[in-house]
């Protein structure tokens, strides 16, 4: 029986930008995945929460960004789970909910370096495949050669949510760095102006 192959792209998406979409586009077209789900994390335990927009605003901007692309979906399952959110707990819950689906974890070489610090990282490696994309300045460390790790030869994308927030706070017009509908939502709501 065929199982759906879905890549899980976890992130704060604070805010979503074109780099996220370009990477997801590359992965769904250059691997055998059926689709990519953007999993919006309410609170990454490795990140500071104070600069984070409310969960629903980040989800709404993502939904606007992927609205007309059937290859992509927004997943807010972590909104309804204990905080902070841990990837292993989300993977287990999704696997239980969708038994006919193989889930793949999408992450960058920057995440791979600290992967051994993740909760139950060995369980993730034993039960899931990791699709790893390059991040400038990070070689992936020792985990790069693990049998569960597949390196994706995606173009390096230098846009970051940190850059977007800083640019907005400085009053820059960065409309071409974000999906048009998401950018309009952000501007209309006056997000990140005081960052």
């Amino acid at each position: 029986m065929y199982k759906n192959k879905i890549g899980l792209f976890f992130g704060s998406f604070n805010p979503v930008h074109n780099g996220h979409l370009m990477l997801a586009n590359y992965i769904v077209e250059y691997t055998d995945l059926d689709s990519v789900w953007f999993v919006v994390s309410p609170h990454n335990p490795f990140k500071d929460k104070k600069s984070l927009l409310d969960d629903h605003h980040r989800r709404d901007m993502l939904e606007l960004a992927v609205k007309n692309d059937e290859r992509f979906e927004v997943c807010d399952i972590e909104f309804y789970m204990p905080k902070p959110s841990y990837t292993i707990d989300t993977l287990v819950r999704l696997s239980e909910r969708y038994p006919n689906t193989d889930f793949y974890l999408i992450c960058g070489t920057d995440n791979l370096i600290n992967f051994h610090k993740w909760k139950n990282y060995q369980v993730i490696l034993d039960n899931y495949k990791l699709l790893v994309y390059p991040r400038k300045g990070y070689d992936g460390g020792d985990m790069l050669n693990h049998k569960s790790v597949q390196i994706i030869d995606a173009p390096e994308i230098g846009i970051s949510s940190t850059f977007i927030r800083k640019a907005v706070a400085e009053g820059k017009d960065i409309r071409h760095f974000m999906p048009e509908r998401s950018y309009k939502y952000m501007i209309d709501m006056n997000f990140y102006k005081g960052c």
Side-chain angles (χ1 to χ4, degrees):
M1 183 179 70
Y2 179 78
K3 282 187 156 192
N4 286 326
K5 295 180 179 179
I6 293 175
L8 299 175
F9 190 175
F10 286 78
S12 302
F13 304 107
N14 187 38
V16 61
H17 54 71
N18 287 337
H20 293 130
L21 299 179
M22 290 160 68
L23 181 60
N25 191 134
Y26 182 92
I27 289 173
V28 84
E29 290 300 321
Y30 286 87
T31 69
D32 60 353
L33 293 184
D34 297 304
S35 61
V36 169
W37 290 5
F38 294 82
V39 184
V40 188
S41 300
H43 177 209
N44 179 329
F46 294 111
K47 290 189 177 177
D48 184 0
K49 193 169 182 182
K50 68 175 183 262
S51 66
L52 211 53
L53 282 185
D54 284 345
D55 301 346
H56 71 280
H57 288 308
R58 291 181 289 118
R59 181 195 58 210
D60 291 351
M61 281 194 285
L62 248 178
E63 286 180 343
L64 288 169
V66 304
K67 188 176 181 179
N68 297 324
D69 196 327
E70 67 284 346
R71 300 170 302 169
F72 301 147
E73 190 170 317
V74 177
C75 176
D76 64 2
I77 191 169
E78 290 192 343
F79 290 14
Y80 311 100
M81 294 173 63
K83 315 293 186 290
S85 48
Y86 293 97
T87 302
I88 182 59
D89 299 332
T90 308
L91 286 168
V92 167
R93 188 163 294 191
L94 284 170
S95 296
E96 288 170 352
R97 188 176 288 184
Y98 302 98
N100 293 324
T101 299
D102 284 333
F103 289 105
Y104 294 70
L105 178 59
I106 298 169
C107 67
T109 49
D110 54 332
N111 294 127
L112 208 56
I113 286 175
N114 294 312
F115 197 74
H116 63 283
K117 297 179 182 175
W118 290 25
K119 179 183 175 188
N120 296 344
Y121 79 95
Q122 194 60 56
V123 177
I124 297 174
L125 290 171
D126 289 345
N127 294 282
Y128 301 92
K129 294 276 189 211
L130 276 64
L131 301 179
V132 179
Y133 58 89
R135 291 296 298 266
K136 192 174 179 70
Y138 298 94
D139 64 4
D142 297 336
M143 293 283 182
L144 207 58
N145 298 315
H146 193 281
K147 63 180 175 58
S148 295
V149 172
Q150 179 184 340
I151 305 304
I152 303 300
D153 191 25
E156 283 188 20
I157 299 164
I159 310 168
S160 70
S161 295
T162 303
F163 165 79
I164 300 286
R165 293 193 304 271
K166 187 171 184 291
V168 172
E170 292 171 354
K172 306 293 187 192
D173 182 338
I174 43 98
R175 71 181 80 181
H176 298 298
F177 286 83
M178 290 177 64
E180 184 178 355
R181 288 184 294 262
S182 309
Y183 179 78
K184 184 176 186 316
Y185 184 102
M186 178 184 73
I187 295 302
D188 288 349
M189 298 292 283
N190 280 316
F191 292 148
Y192 309 118
K193 290 286 174 68
C195 288

